[in-house]
Amino acid sequence: MTGRKATVGGLVTANPVWVGSSELTMTLDGLITCIDAGAGAVVAKSVNESAAARRQLDIADYAFVSAGGRVRPAGAARRGDGLLNRSGLAQVDLDDWLALLAAGVEHGAARGCPVIGSITLGDPVAAARIAHAMAGAVPAVELNIGAPHGREASAVRQLTEADAVHDAVRVVRVAVDAPLFVKLPGQASDVVALARAARSAGADAVGLVGRYPGFLPDLDGGAVLGSWGAWGSPACLPMSLYWVAKARTALDVPLVGTNGARTATDVLRFLASGARAVEVVTALWIGGPAALAELVAGVDAYLDARDLDEFVGSALAGAREYKDIPPVRPPAWLPYTARWSRSSGR
């Protein structure tokens, strides 16, 4: 898919299938592996100013959960599993991290695959300082203000109010000349309002949406992972697409989709809903680099005879407001209520 470039917020990428920030992109070997597997862009593991956020990586843990509720270790995970996890930020000094990013950028440049730096918000002023330094090493910076772990640990923050989003993005924006992408949470009263606030504060693109807070009892008096965590799964896909589609309809801002894409069809649904690129992570946890290559090939094959720019947001032409939908005749609920009545003997 190297010939089908995707441009997002001024950043030209090899294709619209990106690798999101995670432990998989925390080392130079990890970045290179993603680049060589065909990623359109790679978002490096997040950093911030907090030593506590780095220490949080020491308690990182991962549980893969089947659609039927079976909990599996990483080595036994399957494509349709959800992921419940704890995580922290990269345990590295900023100067060393910038050198690693620069090496990744150099490797990706020959393949048209940008490496994007990532900051998970702690203190906005500190984030601005890191972003300014990072922009000297990478072609774009992602500011993650949607980290679900922000609800459990003060070392990172999750912002769910428009004013707070605007203020934080504005502080970072003035410090960065490179494209600035802002990743937002999915658990907020109005995600479109958050996207509007990020855009008005200077975001070049908006990522929708971060994973959700999660909790899963093990029914033996404890909890999976022994704590709360962050949750993502294929079942999150329609919720993520909802906010992508709503933001596409309401705003003039490039969108990056995330949370729920495991197959090429999932990626295409993000694009049809209005995203210009899609970040994937859990599919790679489960399937390795081959899964990334499969996604890229599948998306490329579908779009072979289509124009990417025209395909982005194409599903919205067939989506109407409730008030504009004529009555369904016969009523769609009729067979369900009839079956219920028969089964109850009435």
Side-chain angles (χ1 to χ4, degrees):
M1 196 163 178
T2 54
R4 194 175 298 279
K5 293 179 170 59
T7 301
V8 181
L11 182 71
V12 180
T13 71
N15 62 69
V17 184
W18 296 6
V19 178
S21 172
S22 76
E23 286 81 336
L24 299 176
T25 61
M26 192 165 62
T27 66
L28 181 58
D29 283 347
L31 295 175
I32 289 174
T33 297
C34 293
I35 293 166
D36 291 349
V42 180
V43 185
K45 178 68 172 172
S46 273
V47 298
N48 76 6
E49 76 286 354
S50 171
R54 295 191 291 274
R55 287 194 300 271
Q56 200 171 293
L57 190 65
D58 293 334
I59 62 167
D61 202 358
Y62 316 88
F64 293 85
V65 185
S66 75
R70 180 182 176 187
V71 179
R72 294 191 263 250
R78 300 177 185 176
R79 175 178 285 181
D81 289 352
L83 172 61
L84 182 71
N85 85 312
R86 286 190 307 269
S87 188
L89 304 189
Q91 296 178 332
V92 62
D93 291 334
L94 181 58
D95 288 344
D96 293 337
W97 187 239
L98 296 179
L100 184 150
L101 291 178
V105 168
E106 182 178 4
H107 185 82
R111 295 157 179 80
C113 176
V115 172
I116 300 168
S118 179
I119 302 164
T120 293
L121 185 69
D123 173 66
V125 174
R129 174 181 56 81
I130 295 170
H132 179 76
M134 193 175 278
V138 297
V141 175
E142 178 186 87
L143 177 65
N144 183 3
I145 58 178
H149 303 295
R151 292 176 175 265
E152 311 305 325
S154 59
V156 297
R157 296 176 63 191
Q158 183 187 77
L159 303 183
T160 58
E161 299 296 332
D163 288 346
V165 169
H166 182 279
D167 292 347
V169 173
R170 197 65 188 143
V171 170
V172 177
R173 172 76 277 176
V174 297
V176 179
D177 292 331
L180 177 64
F181 303 159
V182 177
K183 188 173 182 179
L184 297 172
Q187 193 175 55
S189 59
D190 188 349
V191 176
V192 174
L194 303 188
R196 182 178 289 109
R199 180 62 159 173
S200 68
D204 294 293
V206 171
L208 300 172
V209 291
R211 290 187 299 142
Y212 297 92
F215 181 74
L216 190 64
D218 63 17
L219 304 186
D220 291 322
V224 175
L225 301 183
S227 73
W228 291 264
W231 173 253
S233 80
C236 292
L237 181 65
M239 296 184 287
S240 301
L241 298 180
Y242 176 89
W243 288 119
V244 169
K246 286 292 188 177
R248 167 79 177 194
T249 301
L251 304 173
D252 179 20
V253 58
L255 303 173
V256 179
T258 184
N259 192 358
R262 299 291 181 84
T263 68
T265 298
D266 295 339
V267 173
L268 290 164
R269 282 181 165 145
F270 263 113
L271 299 177
S273 297
R276 298 198 60 82
V278 182
E279 293 181 9
V280 295
V281 174
T282 308
L284 276 63
W285 276 108
I286 295 171
L292 177 57
E294 179 183 333
L295 289 174
V296 173
V299 172
D300 190 35
Y302 185 86
L303 294 176
D304 183 56
R306 295 171 174 84
D307 180 86
L308 176 59
D309 289 337
E310 292 180 1
F311 184 72
V312 169
S314 57
L316 301 180
R320 290 177 288 180
E321 300 293 334
Y322 281 14
K323 63 181 177 59
D324 298 325
I325 300 173
V328 177
R329 297 288 184 249
W333 47 262
L334 190 61
Y336 299 98
T337 56
R339 186 168 67 245
W340 174 263
S341 297
R342 286 195 299 270
S343 66
S344 64
R346 298 174 63 184

